[in-house]
PDB file of all heavy atoms in Angstrom:
ATOM      1  N   PRO A1092       1.906   6.993  -7.344  1.00  0.00           N
ATOM      2  CA  PRO A1092       2.539   8.274  -7.035  1.00  0.00           C
ATOM      3  C   PRO A1092       3.726   7.990  -6.127  1.00  0.00           C
ATOM      4  O   PRO A1092       3.801   6.920  -5.507  1.00  0.00           O
ATOM      5  CB  PRO A1092       1.463   9.029  -6.247  1.00  0.00           C
ATOM      6  CG  PRO A1092       0.196   8.268  -6.454  1.00  0.00           C
ATOM      7  CD  PRO A1092       0.568   6.860  -6.741  1.00  0.00           C
ATOM      8  N   ILE A1093       4.650   8.931  -6.049  1.00  0.00           N
ATOM      9  CA  ILE A1093       5.697   8.754  -5.049  1.00  0.00           C
ATOM     10  C   ILE A1093       5.208   9.448  -3.776  1.00  0.00           C
ATOM     11  O   ILE A1093       4.712  10.567  -3.820  1.00  0.00           O
ATOM     12  CB  ILE A1093       7.073   9.259  -5.540  1.00  0.00           C
ATOM     13  CG1 ILE A1093       6.982  10.634  -6.198  1.00  0.00           C
ATOM     14  CG2 ILE A1093       7.667   8.245  -6.519  1.00  0.00           C
ATOM     15  CD1 ILE A1093       8.345  11.224  -6.543  1.00  0.00           C
ATOM     16  N   TYR A1094       5.321   8.735  -2.678  1.00  0.00           N
ATOM     17  CA  TYR A1094       4.697   9.186  -1.420  1.00  0.00           C
ATOM     18  C   TYR A1094       5.592  10.166  -0.673  1.00  0.00           C
ATOM     19  O   TYR A1094       6.819  10.040  -0.703  1.00  0.00           O
ATOM     20  CB  TYR A1094       4.394   7.969  -0.531  1.00  0.00           C
ATOM     21  CG  TYR A1094       3.393   7.049  -1.196  1.00  0.00           C
ATOM     22  CD1 TYR A1094       3.816   6.007  -2.013  1.00  0.00           C
ATOM     23  CD2 TYR A1094       2.033   7.271  -1.058  1.00  0.00           C
ATOM     24  CE1 TYR A1094       2.891   5.195  -2.668  1.00  0.00           C
ATOM     25  CE2 TYR A1094       1.105   6.465  -1.703  1.00  0.00           C
ATOM     26  CZ  TYR A1094       1.542   5.433  -2.504  1.00  0.00           C
ATOM     27  OH  TYR A1094       0.629   4.640  -3.152  1.00  0.00           O
ATOM     28  N   TYR A1095       4.950  11.094   0.024  1.00  0.00           N
ATOM     29  CA  TYR A1095       5.702  12.007   0.886  1.00  0.00           C
ATOM     30  C   TYR A1095       6.117  11.269   2.154  1.00  0.00           C
ATOM     31  O   TYR A1095       5.235  10.807   2.890  1.00  0.00           O
ATOM     32  CB  TYR A1095       4.833  13.181   1.328  1.00  0.00           C
ATOM     33  CG  TYR A1095       4.540  14.189   0.261  1.00  0.00           C
ATOM     34  CD1 TYR A1095       3.228  14.596   0.010  1.00  0.00           C
ATOM     35  CD2 TYR A1095       5.560  14.767  -0.492  1.00  0.00           C
ATOM     36  CE1 TYR A1095       2.937  15.539  -0.965  1.00  0.00           C
ATOM     37  CE2 TYR A1095       5.274  15.705  -1.471  1.00  0.00           C
ATOM     38  CZ  TYR A1095       3.968  16.085  -1.702  1.00  0.00           C
ATOM     39  OH  TYR A1095       3.693  17.010  -2.666  1.00  0.00           O
ATOM     40  N   HIS A1101      -0.693   5.428   5.760  1.00  0.00           N
ATOM     41  CA  HIS A1101      -1.890   4.822   6.328  1.00  0.00           C
ATOM     42  C   HIS A1101      -2.624   3.966   5.289  1.00  0.00           C
ATOM     43  O   HIS A1101      -2.114   3.732   4.183  1.00  0.00           O
ATOM     44  CB  HIS A1101      -2.800   5.881   6.951  1.00  0.00           C
ATOM     45  CG  HIS A1101      -3.189   6.990   6.014  1.00  0.00           C
ATOM     46  ND1 HIS A1101      -3.874   6.773   4.846  1.00  0.00           N
ATOM     47  CD2 HIS A1101      -2.963   8.332   6.068  1.00  0.00           C
ATOM     48  CE1 HIS A1101      -4.087   7.917   4.234  1.00  0.00           C
ATOM     49  NE2 HIS A1101      -3.533   8.893   4.960  1.00  0.00           N
ATOM     50  N   GLY A1103      -5.056   4.535   3.380  1.00  0.00           N
ATOM     51  CA  GLY A1103      -5.361   5.200   2.104  1.00  0.00           C
ATOM     52  C   GLY A1103      -4.208   5.054   1.126  1.00  0.00           C
ATOM     53  O   GLY A1103      -4.399   4.728  -0.047  1.00  0.00           O
ATOM     54  N   HIS A1104      -2.983   5.266   1.613  1.00  0.00           N
ATOM     55  CA  HIS A1104      -1.816   5.093   0.742  1.00  0.00           C
ATOM     56  C   HIS A1104      -1.687   3.618   0.348  1.00  0.00           C
ATOM     57  O   HIS A1104      -1.349   3.282  -0.792  1.00  0.00           O
ATOM     58  CB  HIS A1104      -0.525   5.510   1.465  1.00  0.00           C
ATOM     59  CG  HIS A1104      -0.565   6.903   2.011  1.00  0.00           C
ATOM     60  ND1 HIS A1104      -0.594   7.161   3.359  1.00  0.00           N
ATOM     61  CD2 HIS A1104      -0.575   8.102   1.392  1.00  0.00           C
ATOM     62  CE1 HIS A1104      -0.607   8.470   3.541  1.00  0.00           C
ATOM     63  NE2 HIS A1104      -0.604   9.067   2.371  1.00  0.00           N
ATOM     64  N   TYR A1106      -3.989   1.493  -0.002  1.00  0.00           N
ATOM     65  CA  TYR A1106      -5.021   1.214  -1.013  1.00  0.00           C
ATOM     66  C   TYR A1106      -4.473   1.503  -2.413  1.00  0.00           C
ATOM     67  O   TYR A1106      -4.589   0.681  -3.331  1.00  0.00           O
ATOM     68  CB  TYR A1106      -6.218   2.106  -0.698  1.00  0.00           C
ATOM     69  CG  TYR A1106      -7.353   2.094  -1.691  1.00  0.00           C
ATOM     70  CD1 TYR A1106      -7.978   0.910  -2.059  1.00  0.00           C
ATOM     71  CD2 TYR A1106      -7.835   3.290  -2.231  1.00  0.00           C
ATOM     72  CE1 TYR A1106      -9.046   0.914  -2.946  1.00  0.00           C
ATOM     73  CE2 TYR A1106      -8.903   3.304  -3.109  1.00  0.00           C
ATOM     74  CZ  TYR A1106      -9.503   2.121  -3.463  1.00  0.00           C
ATOM     75  OH  TYR A1106     -10.554   2.125  -4.337  1.00  0.00           O
ATOM     76  N   CYS A1107      -3.867   2.670  -2.562  1.00  0.00           N
ATOM     77  CA  CYS A1107      -3.355   3.086  -3.869  1.00  0.00           C
ATOM     78  C   CYS A1107      -2.268   2.119  -4.355  1.00  0.00           C
ATOM     79  O   CYS A1107      -2.280   1.677  -5.511  1.00  0.00           O
ATOM     80  CB  CYS A1107      -2.814   4.519  -3.728  1.00  0.00           C
ATOM     81  SG  CYS A1107      -2.127   5.196  -5.231  1.00  0.00           S
ATOM     82  N   ASP A1132       8.820  10.856  -2.439  1.00  0.00           N
ATOM     83  CA  ASP A1132       8.965  12.241  -2.901  1.00  0.00           C
ATOM     84  C   ASP A1132       9.520  13.018  -1.699  1.00  0.00           C
ATOM     85  O   ASP A1132       8.767  13.416  -0.822  1.00  0.00           O
ATOM     86  CB  ASP A1132       7.547  12.707  -3.279  1.00  0.00           C
ATOM     87  CG  ASP A1132       7.523  14.081  -3.880  1.00  0.00           C
ATOM     88  OD1 ASP A1132       8.591  14.685  -4.036  1.00  0.00           O
ATOM     89  OD2 ASP A1132       6.414  14.546  -4.201  1.00  0.00           O
ATOM     90  N   TRP A1310       7.059  19.986  -8.357  1.00  0.00           N
ATOM     91  CA  TRP A1310       6.504  19.137  -9.413  1.00  0.00           C
ATOM     92  C   TRP A1310       7.511  18.687 -10.464  1.00  0.00           C
ATOM     93  O   TRP A1310       7.423  17.577 -10.963  1.00  0.00           O
ATOM     94  CB  TRP A1310       5.243  19.753 -10.004  1.00  0.00           C
ATOM     95  CG  TRP A1310       4.177  19.685  -8.954  1.00  0.00           C
ATOM     96  CD1 TRP A1310       3.716  20.717  -8.189  1.00  0.00           C
ATOM     97  CD2 TRP A1310       3.533  18.504  -8.452  1.00  0.00           C
ATOM     98  NE1 TRP A1310       2.810  20.257  -7.260  1.00  0.00           N
ATOM     99  CE2 TRP A1310       2.673  18.899  -7.396  1.00  0.00           C
ATOM    100  CE3 TRP A1310       3.589  17.150  -8.783  1.00  0.00           C
ATOM    101  CZ2 TRP A1310       1.889  17.999  -6.694  1.00  0.00           C
ATOM    102  CZ3 TRP A1310       2.800  16.250  -8.072  1.00  0.00           C
ATOM    103  CH2 TRP A1310       1.968  16.682  -7.050  1.00  0.00           C
ATOM    104  N   ALA A1313       9.270  15.941  -8.683  1.00  0.00           N
ATOM    105  CA  ALA A1313       8.494  14.739  -8.398  1.00  0.00           C
ATOM    106  C   ALA A1313       8.046  14.011  -9.670  1.00  0.00           C
ATOM    107  O   ALA A1313       8.245  12.803  -9.810  1.00  0.00           O
ATOM    108  CB  ALA A1313       7.279  15.107  -7.554  1.00  0.00           C
ATOM    109  N   LEU A1314       7.438  14.744 -10.594  1.00  0.00           N
ATOM    110  CA  LEU A1314       6.845  14.070 -11.759  1.00  0.00           C
ATOM    111  C   LEU A1314       7.889  13.381 -12.630  1.00  0.00           C
ATOM    112  O   LEU A1314       7.626  12.323 -13.207  1.00  0.00           O
ATOM    113  CB  LEU A1314       6.053  15.087 -12.593  1.00  0.00           C
ATOM    114  CG  LEU A1314       4.746  15.547 -11.939  1.00  0.00           C
ATOM    115  CD1 LEU A1314       4.245  16.841 -12.564  1.00  0.00           C
ATOM    116  CD2 LEU A1314       3.682  14.457 -12.044  1.00  0.00           C
ATOM    117  N   ASN A1316      10.219  11.690 -11.834  1.00  0.00           N
ATOM    118  CA  ASN A1316      10.676  10.388 -11.318  1.00  0.00           C
ATOM    119  C   ASN A1316      10.282   9.260 -12.261  1.00  0.00           C
ATOM    120  O   ASN A1316      10.966   8.242 -12.350  1.00  0.00           O
ATOM    121  CB  ASN A1316      10.113  10.139  -9.912  1.00  0.00           C
ATOM    122  CG  ASN A1316       8.789   9.395  -9.920  1.00  0.00           C
ATOM    123  OD1 ASN A1316       8.753   8.164  -9.950  1.00  0.00           O
ATOM    124  ND2 ASN A1316       7.685  10.132  -9.929  1.00  0.00           N
ATOM    125  N   TYR A1317       9.147   9.456 -12.943  1.00  0.00           N
ATOM    126  CA  TYR A1317       8.631   8.382 -13.789  1.00  0.00           C
ATOM    127  C   TYR A1317       9.559   8.072 -14.965  1.00  0.00           C
ATOM    128  O   TYR A1317       9.498   6.980 -15.524  1.00  0.00           O
ATOM    129  CB  TYR A1317       7.242   8.750 -14.317  1.00  0.00           C
ATOM    130  CG  TYR A1317       6.205   8.995 -13.236  1.00  0.00           C
ATOM    131  CD1 TYR A1317       5.428  10.153 -13.222  1.00  0.00           C
ATOM    132  CD2 TYR A1317       5.995   8.063 -12.220  1.00  0.00           C
ATOM    133  CE1 TYR A1317       4.460  10.373 -12.246  1.00  0.00           C
ATOM    134  CE2 TYR A1317       5.038   8.279 -11.238  1.00  0.00           C
ATOM    135  CZ  TYR A1317       4.273   9.431 -11.258  1.00  0.00           C
ATOM    136  OH  TYR A1317       3.329   9.643 -10.288  1.00  0.00           O
ATOM    137  N   VAL A1341      -3.069   7.335  -9.793  1.00  0.00           N
ATOM    138  CA  VAL A1341      -2.894   8.431  -8.813  1.00  0.00           C
ATOM    139  C   VAL A1341      -4.209   8.719  -8.106  1.00  0.00           C
ATOM    140  O   VAL A1341      -5.282   8.436  -8.634  1.00  0.00           O
ATOM    141  CB  VAL A1341      -2.414   9.738  -9.500  1.00  0.00           C
ATOM    142  CG1 VAL A1341      -1.099   9.531 -10.216  1.00  0.00           C
ATOM    143  CG2 VAL A1341      -3.459  10.297 -10.454  1.00  0.00           C
ATOM    144  N   GLY A1342      -4.111   9.326  -6.928  1.00  0.00           N
ATOM    145  CA  GLY A1342      -5.309   9.737  -6.196  1.00  0.00           C
ATOM    146  C   GLY A1342      -5.904  10.982  -6.839  1.00  0.00           C
ATOM    147  O   GLY A1342      -5.217  11.733  -7.537  1.00  0.00           O
ATOM    148  N   LYS A1343      -7.179  11.193  -6.574  1.00  0.00           N
ATOM    149  CA  LYS A1343      -7.902  12.240  -7.316  1.00  0.00           C
ATOM    150  C   LYS A1343      -7.317  13.637  -7.141  1.00  0.00           C
ATOM    151  O   LYS A1343      -7.399  14.452  -8.058  1.00  0.00           O
ATOM    152  CB  LYS A1343      -9.381  12.227  -6.904  1.00  0.00           C
ATOM    153  CG  LYS A1343      -9.616  12.532  -5.430  1.00  0.00           C
ATOM    154  CD  LYS A1343     -11.095  12.573  -5.118  1.00  0.00           C
ATOM    155  CE  LYS A1343     -11.289  13.009  -3.677  1.00  0.00           C
ATOM    156  NZ  LYS A1343     -12.689  13.084  -3.295  1.00  0.00           N
ATOM    157  N   GLU A1344      -6.714  13.925  -5.970  1.00  0.00           N
ATOM    158  CA  GLU A1344      -6.259  15.301  -5.746  1.00  0.00           C
ATOM    159  C   GLU A1344      -4.988  15.635  -6.525  1.00  0.00           C
ATOM    160  O   GLU A1344      -4.607  16.797  -6.622  1.00  0.00           O
ATOM    161  CB  GLU A1344      -6.078  15.562  -4.242  1.00  0.00           C
ATOM    162  CG  GLU A1344      -4.735  15.197  -3.637  1.00  0.00           C
ATOM    163  CD  GLU A1344      -4.492  13.696  -3.496  1.00  0.00           C
ATOM    164  OE1 GLU A1344      -5.222  12.882  -4.077  1.00  0.00           O
ATOM    165  OE2 GLU A1344      -3.517  13.347  -2.785  1.00  0.00           O
ATOM    166  N   ILE A1345      -4.330  14.612  -7.089  1.00  0.00           N
ATOM    167  CA  ILE A1345      -3.131  14.921  -7.870  1.00  0.00           C
ATOM    168  C   ILE A1345      -3.318  14.613  -9.357  1.00  0.00           C
ATOM    169  O   ILE A1345      -2.366  14.589 -10.119  1.00  0.00           O
ATOM    170  CB  ILE A1345      -1.864  14.236  -7.285  1.00  0.00           C
ATOM    171  CG1 ILE A1345      -2.063  12.734  -7.138  1.00  0.00           C
ATOM    172  CG2 ILE A1345      -1.474  14.849  -5.959  1.00  0.00           C
ATOM    173  CD1 ILE A1345      -0.787  11.997  -6.726  1.00  0.00           C
ATOM    174  N   HIS A1349      -0.893  15.354 -12.871  1.00  0.00           N
ATOM    175  CA  HIS A1349      -0.537  14.278 -13.804  1.00  0.00           C
ATOM    176  C   HIS A1349      -1.177  14.422 -15.178  1.00  0.00           C
ATOM    177  O   HIS A1349      -0.653  13.899 -16.153  1.00  0.00           O
ATOM    178  CB  HIS A1349      -0.911  12.911 -13.200  1.00  0.00           C
ATOM    179  CG  HIS A1349       0.030  12.493 -12.116  1.00  0.00           C
ATOM    180  ND1 HIS A1349      -0.045  12.990 -10.838  1.00  0.00           N
ATOM    181  CD2 HIS A1349       1.094  11.654 -12.131  1.00  0.00           C
ATOM    182  CE1 HIS A1349       0.922  12.461 -10.107  1.00  0.00           C
ATOM    183  NE2 HIS A1349       1.632  11.640 -10.866  1.00  0.00           N
ATOM    184  N   HIS A1371      -7.966   7.622  -8.952  1.00  0.00           N
ATOM    185  CA  HIS A1371      -8.877   6.869  -8.079  1.00  0.00           C
ATOM    186  C   HIS A1371      -9.413   7.741  -6.949  1.00  0.00           C
ATOM    187  O   HIS A1371      -8.910   8.840  -6.693  1.00  0.00           O
ATOM    188  CB  HIS A1371      -8.178   5.623  -7.517  1.00  0.00           C
ATOM    189  CG  HIS A1371      -7.052   5.930  -6.575  1.00  0.00           C
ATOM    190  ND1 HIS A1371      -7.253   6.354  -5.286  1.00  0.00           N
ATOM    191  CD2 HIS A1371      -5.716   5.885  -6.752  1.00  0.00           C
ATOM    192  CE1 HIS A1371      -6.077   6.538  -4.706  1.00  0.00           C
ATOM    193  NE2 HIS A1371      -5.129   6.270  -5.574  1.00  0.00           N
ATOM    194  N   GLY A1372     -10.424   7.210  -6.273  1.00  0.00           N
ATOM    195  CA  GLY A1372     -11.052   7.958  -5.181  1.00  0.00           C
ATOM    196  C   GLY A1372     -10.280   7.789  -3.885  1.00  0.00           C
ATOM    197  O   GLY A1372      -9.263   7.101  -3.823  1.00  0.00           O
ATOM    198  N   TRP A1373     -10.785   8.399  -2.867  1.00  0.00           N
ATOM    199  CA  TRP A1373     -10.151   8.347  -1.548  1.00  0.00           C
ATOM    200  C   TRP A1373     -10.880   7.405  -0.618  1.00  0.00           C
ATOM    201  O   TRP A1373     -12.101   7.278  -0.693  1.00  0.00           O
ATOM    202  CB  TRP A1373     -10.208   9.731  -0.909  1.00  0.00           C
ATOM    203  CG  TRP A1373      -9.059  10.593  -1.266  1.00  0.00           C
ATOM    204  CD1 TRP A1373      -8.018  10.289  -2.087  1.00  0.00           C
ATOM    205  CD2 TRP A1373      -8.852  11.928  -0.816  1.00  0.00           C
ATOM    206  NE1 TRP A1373      -7.169  11.351  -2.160  1.00  0.00           N
ATOM    207  CE2 TRP A1373      -7.651  12.373  -1.392  1.00  0.00           C
ATOM    208  CE3 TRP A1373      -9.558  12.794   0.022  1.00  0.00           C
ATOM    209  CZ2 TRP A1373      -7.143  13.634  -1.157  1.00  0.00           C
ATOM    210  CZ3 TRP A1373      -9.053  14.050   0.252  1.00  0.00           C
ATOM    211  CH2 TRP A1373      -7.855  14.466  -0.330  1.00  0.00           C
ATOM    212  N   LEU A1374     -10.130   6.830   0.281  1.00  0.00           N
ATOM    213  CA  LEU A1374     -10.759   6.123   1.391  1.00  0.00           C
ATOM    214  C   LEU A1374     -10.991   7.159   2.480  1.00  0.00           C
ATOM    215  O   LEU A1374     -10.070   7.890   2.853  1.00  0.00           O
ATOM    216  CB  LEU A1374      -9.840   5.047   1.954  1.00  0.00           C
ATOM    217  CG  LEU A1374      -9.638   3.787   1.127  1.00  0.00           C
ATOM    218  CD1 LEU A1374      -8.981   2.722   1.980  1.00  0.00           C
ATOM    219  CD2 LEU A1374     -10.962   3.293   0.578  1.00  0.00           C
ATOM    220  N   MET A1381      -8.741  11.075   6.210  1.00  0.00           N
ATOM    221  CA  MET A1381      -7.972  10.434   7.285  1.00  0.00           C
ATOM    222  C   MET A1381      -6.929  11.414   7.762  1.00  0.00           C
ATOM    223  O   MET A1381      -6.245  12.026   6.942  1.00  0.00           O
ATOM    224  CB  MET A1381      -7.217   9.235   6.736  1.00  0.00           C
ATOM    225  CG  MET A1381      -8.128   8.177   6.290  1.00  0.00           C
ATOM    226  SD  MET A1381      -7.243   6.695   5.903  1.00  0.00           S
ATOM    227  CE  MET A1381      -8.614   5.745   5.291  1.00  0.00           C
TER     228      MET A1381
HETATM  229  N1  MSP B1821       4.174  13.257  -3.394  1.00  0.00           N
HETATM  230  C1  MSP B1821       2.915  13.474  -3.994  1.00  0.00           C
HETATM  231  C2  MSP B1821       2.755  12.698  -5.281  1.00  0.00           C
HETATM  232  C3  MSP B1821       3.802  12.932  -6.302  1.00  0.00           C
HETATM  233  S1  MSP B1821       3.614  11.887  -7.671  1.00  0.00           S
HETATM  234  C4  MSP B1821       4.723  12.432  -8.783  1.00  0.00           C
HETATM  235  C5  MSP B1821       1.803  13.077  -3.018  1.00  0.00           C
HETATM  236  N2  MSP B1821       2.138  12.258  -2.016  1.00  0.00           N
HETATM  237  S2  MSP B1821       1.126  11.770  -0.880  1.00  0.00           S
HETATM  238  O1  MSP B1821       1.907  10.924  -0.036  1.00  0.00           O
HETATM  239  O2  MSP B1821       0.489  12.867  -0.270  1.00  0.00           O
HETATM  240  O3  MSP B1821       0.013  10.958  -1.571  1.00  0.00           O
HETATM  241  C6  MSP B1821       0.321   9.872  -2.367  1.00  0.00           C
HETATM  242  C7  MSP B1821      -0.920   9.190  -2.861  1.00  0.00           C
HETATM  243  O4  MSP B1821      -1.653   8.643  -1.774  1.00  0.00           O
HETATM  244  C8  MSP B1821      -1.882  10.118  -3.609  1.00  0.00           C
HETATM  245  O5  MSP B1821      -2.258   9.499  -4.804  1.00  0.00           O
HETATM  246  C9  MSP B1821      -3.061  10.215  -2.700  1.00  0.00           C
HETATM  247  O6  MSP B1821      -4.265  10.370  -3.371  1.00  0.00           O
HETATM  248  C10 MSP B1821      -3.007   8.864  -2.011  1.00  0.00           C
HETATM  249  N3  MSP B1821      -3.781   8.916  -0.789  1.00  0.00           N
HETATM  250  C11 MSP B1821      -3.517   9.621   0.351  1.00  0.00           C
HETATM  251  N4  MSP B1821      -4.564   9.465   1.210  1.00  0.00           N
HETATM  252  C12 MSP B1821      -5.502   8.682   0.645  1.00  0.00           C
HETATM  253  C13 MSP B1821      -6.721   8.146   1.048  1.00  0.00           C
HETATM  254  N5  MSP B1821      -7.241   8.405   2.224  1.00  0.00           N
HETATM  255  N6  MSP B1821      -7.362   7.315   0.199  1.00  0.00           N
HETATM  256  C14 MSP B1821      -6.823   6.957  -1.013  1.00  0.00           C
HETATM  257  N7  MSP B1821      -5.677   7.449  -1.428  1.00  0.00           N
HETATM  258  C15 MSP B1821      -5.033   8.362  -0.660  1.00  0.00           C
HETATM  259  O7  MSP B1821       0.678  13.484  -3.238  1.00  0.00           O
END
Side-chain angles (χ1 to χ4, degrees):
I1093 46 173
Y1094 297 91
Y1095 287 129
H1101 55 60
H1104 305 111
Y1106 174 55
C1107 179
D1132 185 1
W1310 291 104
L1314 288 162
N1316 92 86
Y1317 300 129
V1341 301
K1343 62 177 185 180
E1344 87 288 14
I1345 54 173
H1349 286 79
H1371 67 75
W1373 272 1
L1374 287 193
M1381 294 189 185

